[in-house]
Each structure stands twice: as structure tokens, then as C-alpha cells.
């Protein structure tokens, strides 16, 4: 049988260029702009929008899937079957999403992964190493989140030590292309809260250029059927100086 091992991918985009001095802070500074954008035309949107104001792409709420906002028009929802084609389709199967936290994800330890809590600690150190101006909103994306175990682990750490986490994460978004996975992510979010869940295609991310401080993709990129498009999209949505943290299989992952 082929040997399996993990390949951490830790990249950081180019350092930020000099920018004009910010105006004096107001008594009540306005909140940062929404990080979201239409995945088709990239017009800025918010999660309250039901369609794009420019191209009219619809963003329905998926009542059958945790009422999440569907920002993945490139991935039409279809009735799942027990046996599907590899990569993303495997994880759109509700059977797979149900058992994902019942041993599937934990089994990655056999291939060298440190476990969800260990990966969360590694990502914490990665965030601390980013050199970003204080003016940059610390918006972080958990991409291809699955049932969002990493999002839950980070949410628990943020809740236990809010002052330590305040400089690292202001807002956290969990996104996956699988409607079955985001349903599980929403269901489990109630235990810890404090992050958004949306459906998104990694090859057409629903975020503004330079909107994110960091992107996390744990045990995920081997599932991306359009890997190069996904990597380009990650680069586009990261702020200059932002970082991409990913762990993956080099070969042999089941269903990919």
C-alpha cells in the first residue's frame, strides 16, 4: 500500500506597501466593510443581500442546510447518492458529513496529522507570526471547513482567552462547498458560536480582493478539483502580508 504523509503548506504574500497616514480616529470608528463580494462579478455584498446588485446572481438561504447563505452559484445543489464521484462530491454526501466527526477526521492522525486541536495550535502560532498593520481587519477564513472542527477549536480558545486572541482574530468565517458539510457545521456551531458559516466554492471565493488577513485550509486542498484556481483565489482575497496555512495529504487520501 502506498505510504501516506502530510505536507504542510505555509505561505505568506508580499509585504504591504506604504500607505498614506490614516485620518484621526473618530470617537466611534465605523465597523470594517463587509468582506463579502459576489463570486460572479465581485461586486461588494453583505450576507443580508439576497442577490447581487450588479449581476443579479441570487444568494438564497438554504433552509434544508442550516439556513446558511449559498454563495456558490457555480456548484448547483443536486440530490445526493450514496456513491458519488471523488473529490468534492464525496463530501457532499450526507452520510460522509455525518460520520466525519465520528472517526473519519480523527483517523488522519495515522497519516501524520497532529489532530484538530494540534492543528489549531499550529495555526495560532502562524497567526502570531503575521506582520500586518494594526489598521487591517483580522478577518480569517476556514476554507473547505468540512463540519468546521477547526473553527470550533479556535472558537473555544478565543472564548477561554479573549484578550490574547483579540489581536489575532476579529471575525471568523467557515466556508465549504458541500451543503451537507455546512449543515453539520451550523448544527455544531451552537456549542461554541462566534463564527459565520457560508457555502462557497474555493475556485470562486465570495470575498473582496484583499479582504482577509489569513486563510486556513486543514486537510483540504487534496479535495480541490480545481487546485490552481483555488490557490489563485486564496491569493486574491488575502490582504498584502496576509497568510495561507494549509495541511494536506501528498497522496493516498481516500475519495480523492
Amino acid at each position: 500500500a502506498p505510504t501516506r504523509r502530510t505536507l504542510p503548506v505555509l505561505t505568506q504574500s508580499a509585504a504591504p506597501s506604504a500607505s498614506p497616514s490614516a485620518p484621526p480616529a473618530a470617537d466611534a470608528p465605523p465597523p470594517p466593510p463587509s468582506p463579502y463580494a459576489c463570486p460572479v462579478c465581485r461586486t461588494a455584498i453583505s450576507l443580508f443581500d439576497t442577490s447581487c446588485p450588479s449581476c443579479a446572481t441570487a444568494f438564497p438561504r438554504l433552509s434544508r442546510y442550516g439556513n446558511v447563505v449559498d454563495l456558490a452559484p457555480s456548484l448547483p445543489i443536486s440530490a445526493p447518492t450514496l456513491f458519488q464521484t471523488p473529490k468534492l462530491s464525496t463530501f457532499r454526501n450526507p452520510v460522509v458529513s455525518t460520520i466525519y466527526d465520528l472517526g473519519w477526521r480523527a483517523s488522519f492522525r495515522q497519516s501524520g496529522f497532529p489532530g484538530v486541536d494540534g492543528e489549531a495550535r499550529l495555526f495560532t502560532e502562524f497567526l502570531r507570526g503575521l506582520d500586518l498593520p494594526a489598521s487591517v481587519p483580522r478577518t480569517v477564513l476556514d476554507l473547505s471547513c468540512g463540519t468546521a472542527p477547526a473553527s470550533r477549536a479556535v472558537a473555544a480558545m478565543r472564548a477561554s482567552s479573549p484578550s490574547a486572541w483579540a489581536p489575532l482574530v476579529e471575525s471568523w468565517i467557515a466556508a465549504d462547498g458541500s451543503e451537507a458539510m455546512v449543515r453539520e457545521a451550523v448544527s455544531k456551531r451552537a456549542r461554541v458560536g462566534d463564527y459565520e458559516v457560508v457555502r462557497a466554492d474555493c475556485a470562486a471565493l465570495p470575498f473582496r480582493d484583499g479582504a482577509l488577513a489569513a486563510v486556513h485550509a486543514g486537510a483540504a486542498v487534496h479535495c480541490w478539483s480545481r487546485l490552481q484556481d483555488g490557490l489563485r483565489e486564496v491569493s486574491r482575497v488575502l490582504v498584502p502580508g496576509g497568510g495561507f496555512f494549509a495541511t494536506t495529504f501528498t497522496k493516498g487520501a481516500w475519495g480523492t
Side-chain angles (χ1 to χ4, degrees):
T3 300
R4 295 188 292 181
R5 59 191 178 90
T6 57
L7 175 65
V9 182
L10 308 173
T11 65
Q12 185 167 333
S13 56
S17 58
S19 58
S21 298
D27 291 340
S34 167
Y36 295 99
C38 173
V40 176
C41 71
R42 297 184 183 170
T43 296
I45 61 171
S46 79
L47 289 187
F48 295 102
D49 292 322
T50 57
S51 64
C52 174
S54 295
C55 70
T57 297
F59 307 128
R61 286 192 174 272
L62 303 177
S63 58
R64 292 180 56 196
Y65 299 99
N67 208 36
V68 300
V69 178
D70 189 354
L71 298 176
S74 55
L75 298 174
I77 294 177
S78 57
T81 59
L82 182 58
F83 298 102
Q84 296 177 281
T85 54
K87 294 192 182 290
L88 174 62
S89 294
T90 300
F91 299 97
R92 295 179 74 174
N93 189 314
V95 174
V96 174
S97 66
T98 300
I99 67 174
Y100 192 75
D101 288 330
L102 300 177
W104 183 309
R105 186 64 166 80
S107 71
F108 293 179
R109 283 179 175 272
Q110 300 173 19
S111 299
F113 284 83
V116 171
D117 290 340
E119 291 172 51
R121 288 191 291 271
L122 288 173
F123 185 57
T124 302
E125 294 306 312
F126 182 68
L127 289 176
R128 290 195 176 110
L130 296 179
D131 185 16
L132 296 173
S135 59
V136 172
R138 269 34 178 201
T139 303
V140 178
L141 171 65
D142 184 11
L143 183 57
S144 295
C145 66
T147 61
S151 295
R152 297 195 301 278
V154 170
M157 289 191 291
R158 291 175 67 193
S160 65
S161 185
S163 60
W165 274 87
L168 303 179
V169 177
E170 293 177 61
S171 60
W172 183 281
I173 303 166
D176 201 282
S178 163
E179 56 275 27
M181 286 292 187
V182 295
R183 176 172 57 189
E184 292 292 322
V186 169
S187 172
K188 293 175 170 60
R189 178 181 58 183
R191 304 173 189 174
V192 289
D194 204 23
Y195 57 89
E196 296 174 346
V197 180
V198 298
R199 182 170 179 259
D201 181 358
C202 63
L205 290 175
F207 301 100
R208 295 182 291 104
D209 294 3
L212 306 178
V215 175
H216 169 273
V221 298
H222 56 277
C223 299
W224 295 4
S225 57
R226 296 166 58 191
L227 177 60
Q228 294 303 318
D229 290 339
L231 294 176
R232 277 191 290 269
E233 281 291 272
V234 168
S235 178
R236 177 183 67 80
V237 301
L238 280 172
V239 68
F244 177 42
F245 177 102
T247 57
T248 190
F249 294 88
T250 54
K251 62 180 179 179
W254 186 88
T256 64

